[in-house]
Amino acid sequence: MAKVNITINDRQVVAEAGQTVLEAATEAGIEIPTLCYHPALPPEAVCRVCVVEIEGQRTLQPSCTFPVSEGMEIKTHSPRVVEARRVALELLISDCPMDCTTCEMNGNCELQDLCYEYGVNPEEARFAGEKHEYPIDDSNPFIERDYNKCILCRRCVRACEYMNGVEAIGSLWRGFETKIGTAFDAGLQDSPCEFCGMCVEVCPTGALIPIERKGKGREWEFRHVQTTCPYCGVGCQLDLNIKDNRIVQVRSVWDGPANHGLTCVKGRFGFDFNESPDRLTRPLIKKDGQFVEATWDEALHLVASRLSEIKEKHGSDAIGVLSSAKCTNEENYAMQKFARAVIGTNNIDHCARLCHAPTVTGLVTAFGSGAMTNSFDDIAEEAEIYFIIGSNTTEQHPVLGMRIRQEVKERDAKLIVCDPREIPIADFADLHICQKPGTDVALLNGIMNVLITEELYDEDFVEGRTENFEELKETVLKYPPERAAEICGITPDEIVEAAHLLAENRPGALLYAMGITQHTCGHQNVLSTANLQMLLGNMGLPGGGVNPLRGQNNVQGACDLGALVNVYPGYQKVTDPAAREKFEQAWGVKLSPKVGLTVVEMINAAETGEVKAMYIMGENPMMSDPDIKHVEECLKSLDFLVVQDIFLTETAQLADVVLPGVSGFEKDGTYTNSERRIQMVHKAVDPPGEARQDWWIVGEVARRIGYDGLTYSSPKEIMDEAAPLTPIYGGISHDRLDTQGLQWPCPSPDHPGTPILHVGKFARGLGHFTGVEWQPPAEEPDEEYPLILTTGRVLYHWHTGTLTRRSKGLDAIYPEAVVELNTQDAAKLGIADGQIVKVTSRRGEVTAKVQVSDKPKPGVVFMPWHFAEAAANKLTIAALDPTSKIPELKVCAVKVEAA
């Protein structure tokens, strides 16, 4: 950038051409007061508090919008400037209730601070003014709106427009009656508002406050703890405000590398589950069918003795262990080590098997590494087109969805959405392809057919960086747009348009989630996404890549640290003698070379008696697994079941022993987000009652069985052991992560981390094309079950609902399960919107309220799976992808009828 020389308060300053006076002064360490300005928002210059005196200008100028120029001389605190600021402040407080002593924002109000700084006393102000008397709006469960304290700075409006992108609020009326509100001045809950809370975050007064915070503390009473959000795989940084061992409020961390201050409704307001009266506080042992409280010594002794007995009598592989994507890297390392070194089995798995197992198998085959290839920043800032398939991004990964939505709006980045429902982000798409569930391979092959036949692909990239192109070409030529469209239930023109958009806009980022993976062809689906991006040359560069979005906060980390049946930490195969010897030496025991049973296989083996006992940490298969009725029968068949969790979940209710662990707000350690970024988790509050750290519990069980190698003093000690054994984490330590998040591979302490994978060369050398044939789902509609059920998440809930349904606000705004039914199907069935319906599959039935609309494609029924009282997974089928062993949770046949 060109430089200009300016003078601020008689001081020489070199600024960049194009900067505003405020930006130049701030960089030079010269303070200019602001009120309507916020560094994360476009300036509007409405408050006039930041005015400065510029030589040659007749009037004072707002520093937040006035650009610098060569030779400019600026006074920031001349008598004229100070008097103008005093007048502006007096005008603002003339309509303010000035109830500072009872205001929630006392001590953290920017208007109050400026009045103090400039000596503006409300009792001595020159402008009495007429005051508004608006009623306080607390009609929604998250945000209280007190218009009497609003200074019309429009920060909230700009946050809604430029951060979230939904534009739920704006300026209403004119003159003295001007106020900020929604269309027709309705409540926020009746608007497009997603309750991300960014309006609350940027409000400079007490006009917008979190309802949950009211009466719980003032700014100077809070202790602040920065940590990583315990919800989805975006990995947002949060500032927790703590008082009296309670989380009172969540604030933004503006330099958070994954979220840059943005939050979603769950991250901002969904923390109160932590204080739920349902929290487990003491160990429970089941006696005569009823749980009774026990001491830790009793519970740990029982767990250790029963597992030891079963191992001695039936062998190590008679025990199955489930680790958790909700737990830290350190806890997952400890749990997989427990399974392998203490029990002696590779029967260790977790819920990645139910969400992203095909990502690992598919991307390893194609690229040599089974993880997201790019970073959120380069995707958001560099991609010319987004290809979203099988991901409801703005509801499942809301902060990333906000950023994509903004890029589409602000710089006209193109967007293709492929989903059998009208998901919210489809409203912003250049093209929404509404394919039939289970037809993704045919769709992707059809697009690649056009790219190849019209010679629109990147021939140089294919020639120089890939192999096996001829096999791919031979396969996709079988899928001309007409044939692919017939399979998918769409038009050939949509396929051609998608191919042309992708070819004409590069680089392009492909993003997917469980709409791609949760199929019996999940492995093939992932291979197809890799095929498409290699064909387009969208690999190893900013704004490109194949980017699987992880559904839980630490799915990536749990996989990385070895909570899988076939690999040790760092994806080192248990069947590799060299890898096995390495871990045997580190852990001091002989290890099994036999690949273990996956989560679904373990549960099935419980029914046959092959598995006699299970130890489950932080997982809830009674909600997350397919065919729940069968899962229940299998778990009840076990000789012994121990569950370690923070609530008495549907799975814990079946246990013989329940061990109370701690929440993500009550522990130290690390999570790894979707973009492979390892970040610190910091303990903010003490756990309730006698709940204990999960790594400590696992270590104590191990010690009682007779193994001391799991006795640690802290999570830091665990990471210090795990990192040298895990090449991709070789340079990771808590000391480094306390100042920065690092993206693996990070092989050494001086390595900066790797934002983009496969730059110049794939991890396996050449990228491998695979010719993938479309195959139909395991179960298709017929006369008896004529509709396709697909499942997913909603914005206000997460995973099995264990946490979010114990958050008062989240559950209030989305309190019950629904069945989404297409208008045409409802008319055929004689079903009206709001009616209670019964949904039946070959495995079970549930009842719930129906929502009739055009959101789902005709012939498709959608249900969220967060609700135990209408558990969608009572209906789903346990058919497995033969390669990744993921169940087909996204497609099964059902019928819908009035209940």
Side-chain angles (χ1 to χ4, degrees), residues 239-504:
D239 173 24
L240 307 181
N241 293 4
I242 312 298
K243 182 188 175 188
D244 298 332
N245 201 48
R246 298 178 66 185
I247 303 169
V248 175
Q249 185 177 0
V250 171
R251 301 294 301 272
S252 290
V253 176
W254 292 103
D255 60 354
N259 61 312
H260 301 285
L262 297 175
T263 63
C264 76
V265 63
K266 295 186 288 293
R268 177 79 63 179
F269 299 115
F271 56 84
D272 53 321
F273 72 84
N274 213 61
E275 296 179 5
S276 168
D278 294 344
R279 284 292 301 273
L280 294 169
T281 59
R282 295 194 68 188
L284 302 175
I285 295 175
K286 191 171 284 180
K287 296 180 179 179
D288 299 322
Q290 299 295 320
F291 283 119
V292 296
E293 291 187 345
T295 66
W296 271 106
D297 195 57
E298 289 175 305
L300 292 169
H301 175 75
L302 178 58
V303 172
S305 60
R306 290 291 287 125
L307 292 179
S308 296
E309 289 169 10
I310 291 168
K311 176 183 174 181
E312 180 69 24
K313 184 174 182 181
H314 301 284
S316 298
D317 290 336
I319 298 172
V321 179
L322 295 185
S323 201
S324 177
K326 292 180 280 293
C327 291
T328 64
N329 288 319
E330 293 77 8
E331 291 160 344
N332 279 286
Y333 176 84
M335 193 53 139
Q336 63 85 32
K337 182 178 176 182
F338 174 85
R340 292 180 164 119
V342 181
I343 301 300
T345 183
N346 288 312
N347 291 347
I348 168 72
D349 208 4
H350 74 290
C351 69
R353 188 68 51 192
L354 306 173
C355 58
H356 275 288
T359 290
V360 176
T361 62
L363 296 189
V364 165
T365 300
F367 305 148
S369 173
M372 183 169 170
T373 62
N374 286 58
S375 302
F376 294 139
D377 278 356
D378 80 75
I379 290 169
E381 296 165 9
E382 304 288 344
E384 294 298 323
I385 187 168
Y386 302 101
F387 185 86
I388 297 176
I389 182 167
S391 166
N392 183 0
T393 316
T394 49
E395 294 198 82
Q396 294 170 335
H397 302 89
V399 166
L400 178 60
M402 291 177 201
R403 296 187 71 182
I404 292 173
R405 187 161 56 196
Q406 284 303 93
E407 297 301 318
V408 170
K409 289 174 58 180
E410 292 180 17
R411 63 179 178 87
D412 197 29
K414 303 303 178 186
L415 173 62
I416 300 173
V417 174
C418 304
D419 198 281
R421 297 170 62 229
E422 289 284 347
I423 56 176
I425 200 165
D427 292 341
F428 296 82
D430 296 89
L431 175 63
H432 176 206
I433 297 177
C434 203
Q435 80 274 29
K436 193 167 101 176
T439 63
D440 304 291
V441 166
L443 173 60
L444 294 168
N445 278 350
I447 292 171
M448 287 186 281
N449 178 288
V450 176
L451 293 172
I452 291 174
T453 57
E454 297 188 19
E455 298 182 350
L456 299 174
Y457 66 97
D458 189 330
E459 296 184 41
D460 290 340
F461 188 92
V462 170
E463 177 77 20
R465 292 202 51 191
T466 69
E467 63 182 12
N468 212 35
F469 173 67
E470 290 304 319
E471 178 186 300
L472 173 75
K473 181 177 180 180
E474 181 181 349
T475 302
V476 301
L477 289 180
K478 303 175 191 174
Y479 293 84
E482 293 74 20
R483 182 191 175 209
E486 184 178 2
I487 293 170
C488 298
I490 58 177
T491 67
D493 288 346
E494 292 174 280
I495 292 174
V496 174
E497 183 180 356
H500 288 176
L501 280 169
L502 290 167
E504 293 163 7

Side-chain angles (χ1 to χ4, degrees), residues 85-149:
R85 289 176 184 158
R86 286 179 56 85
V87 170
L89 291 169
E90 287 183 278
L91 287 168
L92 287 171
I93 65 170
S94 70
D95 189 31
C96 182
M98 301 307 295
D99 55 349
C100 297
T101 56
T102 57
C103 179
E104 290 292 331
M105 296 306 290
N106 189 9
N108 194 31
C109 172
E110 295 178 42
L111 179 61
Q112 182 188 56
D113 292 343
L114 286 171
C115 286
Y116 176 80
E117 181 180 347
Y118 283 85
V120 176
N121 187 336
E123 296 179 0
E124 300 173 358
R126 289 169 285 180
F127 312 109
E130 180 182 351
K131 293 185 182 289
H132 288 104
E133 294 185 4
Y134 292 113
I136 292 175
D137 177 11
D138 58 0
S139 59
N140 71 80
F142 302 117
I143 300 169
E144 178 182 282
R145 298 192 289 177
D146 185 350
Y147 286 116
N148 301 295
K149 297 173 183 175

